[in-house]
């Protein structure tokens, strides 16, 4: 990829004030970015990051996004359209994209990376016209996303995810989904079907043990468990990304698939409910450019990751 960026560039700084740490003071971060040679552009009204990025695209050299995975998700289509590289200030609850890229999870440390990091081309997942970075799911995690409020995430962080998940577990019910991929059609009963593009999700859970954000593939898994308590037993494997080896987990790699359910079910993309089944998934290779170390190892899991 490209060499370390030169000084004197204009950076559009967008911070999601609703993110868990989005209201934290930014003076130290601004100072770090300016010391790195960046001229910061901060629009007064940045509630619609897609619109703001599009409006400033011709006047800036890069975008810096402060927030969590939902913030990155909201900006994805604008980053694709404008072809602007972006840096990440991890201010959210899980920060899984930053984790997958091996970026520091402390905002000031992450800010120090942005001015000199090379541009790294990474893939995006795509479902029914919506882009995503980490994982898209139907079933348990989508139900969880609909119940977990922004206030709960801001107050409790990943602990709040875990508490809500365990409350929801006992109410979770299996459903039937038809999977079309690579010339095959399979009908299965599952509690969750997930399609990963990146490596981490849910605060450090792992889609698949060797997955990366630039491997040109989607990693699918389906939790076809008989009892909800079996999910607790699977937690260590879900953290490591080895759950595909279990007898009651279906897993495969692909580049495109379709999931169909008898009744429409919500699809959770990077923690946000964005579309419904039937859901057509594709990988979009090298779709965007992020400022990140080329060979940094993926970050570690949090202490209290989301179980799924």
């Amino acid at each position: 990829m490209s060499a370390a960026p030169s000084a004197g560039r204009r950076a559009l700084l967008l911070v999601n004030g609703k993110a868990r740490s989005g209201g934290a003071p930014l003076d130290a971060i601004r100072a770090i970015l300016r010391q790195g040679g960046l001229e910061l552009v901060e629009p007064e009204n940045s509630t619609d990051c897609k619109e703001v990025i599009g409006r400033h695209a011709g006047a800036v050299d890069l975008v810096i996004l402060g927030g969590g995975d939902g913030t990155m998700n909201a900006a994805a289509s604008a980053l694709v359209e404008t072809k602007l590289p972006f840096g990440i200030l991890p201010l959210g609850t899980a920060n899984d994209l930053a984790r997958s890229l091996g970026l520091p999870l402390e905002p000031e440390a992450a800010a120090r990376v942005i001015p000199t990091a090379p541009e790294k081309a990474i893939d995006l997942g795509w479902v029914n016209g919506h882009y995503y970075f980490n994982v898209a799911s139907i079933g348990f995690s989508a139900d969880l996303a609909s119940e977990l409020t922004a206030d709960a995430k801001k107050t409790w962080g990943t602990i709040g995810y875990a508490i809500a998940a365990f409350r929801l577990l006992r109410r979770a019910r299996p459903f039937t989904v038809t999977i079309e991929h690579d010339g095959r059609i399979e009908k299965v009963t599952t509690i969750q079907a997930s399609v990963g593009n990146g490596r981490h999700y849910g605060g450090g859970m792992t889609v698949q043990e060797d997955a990366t954000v630039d491997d040109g593939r989607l990693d699918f898994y389906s939790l076809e468990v008989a009892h909800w308590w079996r999910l607790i037993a699977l937690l260590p494997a879900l953290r490591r990304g080895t759950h595909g080896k279990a007898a009651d987990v279906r897993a495969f790699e692909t580049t495109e698939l379709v999931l169909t359910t008898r009744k429409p079910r919500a699809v959770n993309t990077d923690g946000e409910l964005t579309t419904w089944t039937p859901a057509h998934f594709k990988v979009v290779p090298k779709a965007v450019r992020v400022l990140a170390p080329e060979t940094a190892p993926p970050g570690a899991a949090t202490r209290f990751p989301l179980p799924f």
Side-chain angles (χ1 to χ4, degrees):
M1 297 303 297
S2 63
S6 59
R9 293 171 304 154
R10 287 169 57 85
L12 179 64
L13 176 60
L14 299 178
V15 174
N16 180 2
K18 296 181 180 179
R20 190 181 186 209
S21 301
L26 297 175
D27 289 346
I29 288 174
R30 291 188 183 98
I32 291 168
L33 295 171
R34 286 174 178 140
Q35 288 167 8
L38 298 179
E39 178 187 346
L40 302 181
V41 177
E42 297 184 66
E44 291 184 6
N45 183 6
S46 57
T47 54
D48 184 348
C49 64
K50 179 180 179 181
E51 184 275 331
V52 174
I53 292 171
R55 178 157 41 91
H56 288 81
V60 298
D61 303 295
L62 68 146
V63 178
I64 300 173
L65 297 171
D69 294 301
T71 304
M72 309 302 142
N73 186 284
S77 61
L79 295 172
V80 172
E81 291 168 10
T82 63
K83 303 187 186 306
L84 286 169
F86 71 106
I88 299 173
L89 296 174
L91 301 175
T93 303
N95 301 308
D96 284 303
L97 178 58
R99 197 184 308 274
S100 293
L101 291 165
L103 291 170
L105 299 183
E106 196 280 317
E108 290 186 20
R112 292 187 184 95
V113 172
I114 293 171
T116 58
E119 295 176 9
K120 178 184 177 74
I122 62 173
D123 308 335
L124 285 175
W126 178 98
V127 53
N128 291 357
H130 299 271
Y131 293 109
Y132 65 94
F133 286 97
N134 302 322
V135 72
S137 301
I138 62 173
F140 181 87
S141 75
D143 296 338
L144 180 62
S146 69
E147 291 200 4
L148 193 61
T149 65
D151 286 342
K153 288 193 287 185
K154 195 162 189 174
T155 301
W156 297 102
T158 50
I159 298 175
Y161 275 115
I163 292 171
F166 283 113
R167 285 177 177 170
L168 185 62
L169 265 179
R170 300 191 68 151
R171 307 202 314 267
R173 295 291 180 270
F175 60 95
T176 300
V177 59
T178 300
I179 310 163
E180 300 178 57
H181 71 99
D182 304 301
R184 303 174 61 184
I185 299 177
E186 302 169 289
K187 182 175 286 190
V188 305
T189 300
T190 185
I191 201 166
Q192 173 163 304
S194 296
V195 186
N197 170 68
R199 179 179 178 85
H200 291 303
Y201 67 104
M205 307 301 286
T206 305
V207 174
Q208 208 279 339
E209 58 183 334
D210 65 348
T212 66
V213 291
D214 58 355
D215 57 16
R217 75 181 194 222
L218 300 173
D219 292 285
F220 174 88
Y221 76 79
S222 169
L223 300 175
E224 298 166 15
V225 298
H227 302 284
W228 67 266
W229 49 260
R230 169 63 179 146
L231 297 178
I232 306 301
L234 279 171
L235 272 177
L238 284 160
R239 286 179 64 115
R240 295 189 301 266
T242 58
H243 45 280
K245 299 174 183 177
D248 47 4
V249 178
R250 183 183 309 268
F252 57 82
E253 300 172 7
T254 189
T255 57
E256 186 172 6
L257 73 155
V258 176
L259 300 181
T260 307
T261 53
R262 186 171 64 86
K263 295 181 179 179
R265 298 189 71 98
V267 180
N268 170 13
T269 58
D270 295 336
E272 308 294 326
L273 301 182
T274 52
T275 187
W276 298 81
T277 57
H280 180 193
F281 296 84
K282 295 187 293 186
V283 65
V284 186
K286 315 299 184 190
V288 292
R289 293 173 293 148
V290 63
L291 298 170
E294 194 65 38
T295 58
T302 59
R303 186 179 175 188
F304 298 100
L306 171 66
F308 311 104

